[in-house]
Amino acid sequence: MSSDATTAKQSLFTPFNVVAGLIVVLGLIVTGLRFTKGLGTVTNLSDYNPWGIWIGFDLLVGVALAAGGYVTSAAVYIFGFKKYHSAVRPAILTGFLGYALVVLALHYDVGQPWRLPYPFIVQPGTTSLLFEVAACVALYLTVLFLEFSPAALEWLGLQRLRKYIVRLTMVLTIFGVILSTLHQSSLGALFLIAPSKLHPLWYSSYIPIYFFITSIIAGLSMVIFEGTLSHRYFADKMDETHLQEKDDIVLGFGKAASLVLAGYLIIKIIGISADNNWHYLSTGYGVWFLVELIGFVALPSFLYAVGTRDKNLLLIKWTAVWTVLGVILNRLNVCLIAFNWQLPSSERYVPHWMEIVISVFIVTLGLIIFRFIVTRMPIFYEHPDYEGEH
Amino acid sequence: MSISRRKFLGWIGAAGFGMTVGKTARAASNKHFSGYPDSMGVLYDNVLCIGCRKCEASCQKVNDLPMPPKPFEDLTVMDQNRRTDADTFLVMNKYEQVGNGRGPVFSRMGCNHCLEPACASSCFVAAYSKTKTGAVTYDASVCVGCRYCMIACPFNIPAYEYDEAFTPRIRKCTFCYPRISKGLLPGCVEICPTEALTYGKRSDLLKVARQRIQQAPDRYVDHIYGENEMGGTNWLYLSGVPFKDIGMREDLGVTPAPALTSGALGAVPIVVGLWPVLLTGIYAMSKRKEKISQQETQQAVTEALEKAQSEADSKLEQAMAKAQKEKETAIDKAVKKALEEAAKPKSEEEA
């Protein structure tokens, strides 16, 4: 609210600013290399491994972790959980930033980024699941922009425009859920075309459903995780309502995550049975699969349940971190670790350090923009001019 | 926020309609595509192949590809297993036979020109075409460079110009599309000195292949690779040793690539159609619940108020009645007193 006054008092060289600044400088250098020398200079991508961490992490993980936006707005506006209302704006903001950064990352990964609109304006390839992903992500980014815009318009004082956009809340929410269902699942469905390359334990005709359900898990857990971090660093920006609802949100979302994780565990087991893949469990990949399934699905489901029963907020918060890691692990398994599993190790992909620099650079950009916005716009509090309007 | 139901439903309808425009997705059906009729193919027979690498040289020449550092006459290049790349559309690999004392066998790696290509199915700008000749061609002028075709191809054929900064392209065998359109033979077939490569109609080549197996069953594996793999390919293979021993996957299955994704694509219109209905229903239920609880609260409040009012009324009435009574008694008393007093002097007078 009074950010100008506080920043003026602080030195510019806070630990966050120094580290973020270094990453940004390094990221810009690698960016220069990428766009002048080509993908070959900065990545370890090969003809066997056309997708690396810019797809596995930046796209697949990015989209999954940005699911908090549709999960929260659906819970509050469609399912009527009004008591979680204060979680909506932070979740929409992270969703919007998440998707915007996913699109930014794609500009690094594709060979000719200026042609990204081609599928829509030149020649649509509608038989491709990637077309569905591209169309939904483009539309959903627009939806998230509109859902986020009231906060910016309140900040800018554009009352009339804000009024019109707020009227669209319901339709945007429903449209957002449709688009999210479609593209979250199609990101998994991308791999349906490659049964000979993805390990049978991860390949399943249910993979679109797995990706959709895990996006709900990721969304719920990210809201808890971000809420915890935000409360730690931006508590001074939060209003009474936000602080009051905070614990309820952790309990409610933790309970929901526990249930969804349990359902996910069951459909994963059904998937193994449906393809009769039990014998793979005794192999090395099988053990790794069980680490994911037991360690990052069954365990957090149980811990969330215990945390909710005992009203143990600390346990729920740590479980949220663990669950987010589990979703990251799942996406990396599907896209990189269990993909091309039959190739000899010499042909397998290990990211180049400059690929990692770009991924870290993009996450850092997200944090910087997030901080810029929450210290200026009404995200953690209601703007005094519009109080009690929702 | 308040919106009328009519407005709300209108929006949902518009959202749903917007999603369906320009999208076609057909789920699995009983239609079976067995390739364009009369499409051409090549039969590669590794029993006849001597591994001279002349096909590689010819391929490089007719496609204007850069010459490799070591000449094609240098057969030691084949000591290492190689694959296609941005500058090589065709690679011949050598496989030593262990134990049986026979010489090495050879295998070809290059585009198999699938009947229903995974690359074409996966491309979101439709840069690939399956032509009637059988050739799978690629149009670099629309390619975005997402490399999903490389993920999709079960034979790992498409290669990418990773070192090209501004106009990187996918590179792969074109089945010499420009040449066969003019009636010429593909470069590799034209040069082959041993007729290990045969160009012809795919349907004829299948007959030729079966004949060869029949005539020399002890020299051939009883399988035509490409007849059914991934739904069938225009390139066909005969081998004297099991295909898995010459670097060819035997576990690809016979399902063509588009059939693998048609279910997921078919789900799109279902989600677009059902979700708005379901979500609106849930919204209506939660709204109704809220409304009812509000009404109940209001009713309780009204009842409480009414009760309090009536209680107050009856109390007031009672008080009024009491007051009235008191008043009446007071008046009675006063009248009585007055009467008594009036009677007093009378009696005094009388007395």
Side-chain angles (χ1 to χ4, degrees):
Chain A
M1 274 173 280
S2 54
S3 58
D4 296 337
T6 42
T7 38
K9 265 181 253 161
Q10 284 170 357
S11 155
L12 211 60
F13 293 96
T14 60
F16 175 85
N17 286 356
V18 172
V19 175
L22 281 175
I23 294 172
V24 168
V25 170
L26 203 56
L28 289 175
I29 294 170
V30 178
T31 303
L33 278 175
R34 154 68 188 89
F35 289 104
T36 52
K37 302 273 179 197
L39 284 165
T41 314
V42 296
T43 70
N44 274 348
L45 298 175
S46 68
D47 291 330
Y48 277 121
N49 303 288
W51 284 357
I53 57 166
W54 291 350
I55 295 293
F57 181 79
D58 295 28
L59 173 66
L60 296 185
V61 172
V63 167
L65 298 190
Y70 90 88
V71 171
T72 312
S73 57
V76 172
Y77 295 127
I78 298 176
F79 290 80
F81 291 101
K82 295 264 162 75
K83 57 178 174 170
Y84 305 139
H85 191 272
S86 58
V88 172
R89 274 203 177 172
I92 292 285
L93 173 62
T94 20
F96 172 55
L97 289 180
Y99 276 85
L101 295 171
V102 162
V103 173
L104 175 68
L106 282 179
H107 283 75
Y108 283 81
D109 187 76
V110 303
Q112 301 192 47
W114 46 89
R115 287 184 177 176
L116 275 170
Y118 273 28
F120 311 114
I121 57 170
V122 176
Q123 192 166 277
T126 48
T127 57
S128 173
L129 277 154
L130 198 61
F131 182 84
E132 191 192 331
V133 171
C136 292
V137 168
L139 287 172
Y140 189 47
L141 184 61
T142 318
V143 167
L144 278 170
F145 172 73
L146 290 174
E147 284 187 304
F148 158 74
S149 62
L153 295 173
E154 285 169 17
W155 177 56
L156 296 169
L158 298 171
Q159 300 199 13
R160 273 173 68 93
L161 190 56
R162 178 199 170 275
K163 204 176 79 187
Y164 289 120
I165 291 174
V166 165
R167 280 192 195 155
L168 291 172
T169 303
M170 260 327 284
V171 71
L172 288 176
T173 304
I174 292 195
F175 202 35
V177 176
I178 297 170
L179 292 169
S180 296
T181 309
L182 290 177
H183 73 258
Q184 293 283 3
S185 60
S186 353
L187 280 175
L190 286 180
F191 296 92
L192 282 175
I193 206 163
S196 58
K197 293 185 183 176
L198 181 56
H199 191 283
L201 282 171
W202 282 272
Y203 185 91
S204 162
S205 50
Y206 299 139
I207 198 170
I209 299 166
Y210 293 161
F211 266 56
F212 175 58
I213 302 295
T214 41
S215 81
I216 298 173
I217 295 166
L220 293 167
S221 302
M222 277 303 279
V223 169
I224 299 174
F225 174 57
E226 285 161 25
T228 310
L229 286 185
S230 298
H231 184 248
R232 190 153 163 200
Y233 295 106
F234 303 109
D236 57 317
K237 302 273 178 296
M238 295 177 178
D239 65 6
E240 197 84 342
T241 335
H242 202 104
L243 293 171
Q244 264 172 9
E245 293 183 356
K246 183 174 62 76
D247 291 351
D248 255 0
I249 290 168
V250 172
L251 284 173
F253 278 51
K255 190 176 182 179
S258 171
L259 285 167
V260 183
L261 275 163
Y264 177 63
L265 177 67
I266 291 166
I267 59 171
K268 282 291 268 190
I269 294 169
I270 292 173
I272 308 172
S273 309
D275 295 332
N276 197 11
N277 280 332
W278 296 104
H279 60 286
Y280 285 108
L281 290 180
S282 58
T283 64
Y285 275 101
V287 173
W288 185 236
F289 180 81
L290 287 175
V291 167
E292 186 193 318
L293 195 63
I294 296 172
F296 289 90
V297 178
L299 180 67
S301 173
F302 176 72
L303 293 179
Y304 267 136
V306 170
T308 316
R309 186 195 60 191
D310 301 346
K311 303 220 180 309
N312 185 342
L313 296 176
L314 193 67
L315 179 62
I316 297 179
K317 286 171 184 173
W318 279 110
T319 309
V321 176
W322 190 248
T323 312
V324 167
L325 288 175
V327 174
I328 296 174
L329 179 69
N330 173 259
R331 296 304 192 258
L332 295 182
N333 275 340
V334 170
C335 187
L336 303 173
I337 298 168
F339 194 82
N340 274 339
W341 65 290
Q342 287 177 323
L343 286 184
S345 57
S346 60
E347 299 289 356
R348 297 297 304 273
Y349 163 84
V350 179
H352 192 281
W353 66 267
M354 288 203 264
E355 288 178 79
I356 300 172
V357 165
I358 290 297
S359 291
V360 174
F361 166 65
I362 287 174
V363 172
T364 310
L365 278 187
L367 288 176
I368 294 170
I369 303 171
F370 185 82
R371 195 175 71 154
F372 177 89
I373 292 176
V374 298
T375 49
R376 283 164 181 80
M377 300 181 198
I379 302 296
F380 294 127
Y381 60 93
E382 274 188 275
H383 194 285
D385 293 355
Y386 309 94
E387 245 166 277
E389 259 194 31
H390 305 286
Chain B
M1 199 197 76
S2 71
I3 51 169
S4 75
R5 176 156 303 191
R6 174 187 291 266
K7 227 187 234 173
F8 174 71
L9 290 175
W11 284 335
I12 295 313
F17 181 72
M19 290 295 302
T20 58
V21 172
K23 284 220 169 192
T24 50
R26 191 166 47 92
S29 70
N30 59 0
K31 283 189 186 134
H32 174 62
F33 178 73
S34 52
Y36 286 119
D38 296 336
S39 68
M40 306 304 282
V42 172
L43 173 66
Y44 168 70
D45 182 341
N46 81 349
V47 172
L48 300 175
C49 178
I50 53 168
C52 63
R53 299 188 69 210
K54 287 213 163 62
C55 50
E56 285 187 4
S58 175
C59 178
Q60 220 71 9
K61 210 176 111 200
V62 300
N63 288 299
D64 285 325
L65 297 170
M67 289 294 150
K70 282 187 184 171
F72 287 102
E73 289 73 33
D74 183 355
L75 298 183
T76 59
V77 170
M78 290 209 280
D79 291 344
Q80 260 170 354
N81 204 287
R82 296 166 303 145
R83 60 152 293 152
T84 55
D85 59 43
D87 295 328
T88 323
F89 297 168
L90 167 63
V91 160
M92 296 303 297
N93 277 316
K94 183 172 77 174
Y95 295 87
E96 297 292 349
Q97 298 193 74
V98 205
N100 61 5
R102 288 189 209 156
V105 288
F106 301 94
S107 180
R108 165 191 181 273
M109 185 188 186
C111 180
N112 291 321
H113 300 275
C114 301
L115 298 181
E116 296 180 67
C119 52
S121 170
S122 68
C123 182
F124 75 155
V125 277
Y128 289 91
S129 318
K130 177 71 179 172
T131 65
K132 298 226 155 128
T133 57
V136 177
T137 58
Y138 159 81
D139 176 7
S141 72
V142 291
C143 178
V144 180
C146 70
R147 309 187 296 285
Y148 185 32
C149 51
M150 299 167 73
I151 292 281
C153 177
F155 304 108
N156 285 316
I157 294 305
Y160 200 61
E161 295 181 317
Y162 286 109
D163 293 322
E164 184 65 49
F166 303 107
T167 53
R169 295 167 297 174
I170 290 284
R171 307 293 278 150
K172 77 165 198 67
C173 161
T174 65
F175 203 166
C176 279
Y177 183 66
R179 287 172 61 89
I180 60 173
S181 307
K182 280 189 277 181
L184 295 169
L185 285 173
C188 50
V189 179
E190 191 183 54
I191 201 100
C192 182
T194 63
E195 289 186 17
L197 292 167
T198 317
Y199 176 78
K201 271 188 202 165
R202 183 175 185 267
S203 49
D204 295 339
L205 293 177
L206 281 170
K207 285 177 202 149
V208 171
R210 279 196 202 101
Q211 236 167 17
R212 285 191 197 169
I213 296 174
Q214 233 164 21
Q215 279 167 1
D218 51 330
R219 290 177 69 190
Y220 288 100
V221 172
D222 188 14
H223 183 77
I224 306 168
Y225 196 100
E227 185 177 9
N228 297 310
E229 272 75 12
M230 290 303 289
T233 60
N234 279 72
W235 276 68
L236 303 165
Y237 295 77
L238 282 179
S239 174
V241 297
F243 287 99
K244 64 172 169 30
D245 296 343
I246 52 170
M248 296 173 79
R249 301 267 307 253
E250 289 178 346
D251 58 350
L252 296 179
V254 297
T255 313
L260 294 167
T261 54
S262 63
L265 284 169
V268 173
I270 298 301
V271 170
V272 172
L274 274 185
W275 248 215
V277 179
L278 200 69
L279 295 174
T280 317
I282 294 170
Y283 172 70
M285 282 196 292
S286 71
K287 199 87 186 156
R288 182 168 173 274
K289 219 171 108 190
E290 202 183 318
K291 199 171 155 194
I292 288 177
S293 81
Q294 231 169 28
Q295 275 174 349
E296 277 173 353
T297 324
Q298 209 155 30
Q299 207 177 341
V301 170
T302 330
E303 270 170 18
L305 277 176
E306 268 170 17
K307 204 173 159 199
Q309 187 66 41
S310 69
E311 263 171 26
D313 282 354
S314 68
K315 252 186 202 162
L316 189 68
E317 223 166 86
Q318 275 173 9
M320 290 284 276
K322 204 175 162 194
Q324 187 71 24
K325 216 173 172 186
E326 271 169 12
K327 212 171 165 188
E328 272 168 19
T329 0
I331 291 170
D332 279 356
K333 242 185 193 168
V335 171
K336 226 179 196 177
K337 210 177 171 186
L339 283 175
E340 267 170 25
E341 259 169 38
K344 237 185 214 170
K346 229 187 214 175
S347 61
E348 270 168 23
E349 276 169 33
E350 276 170 15

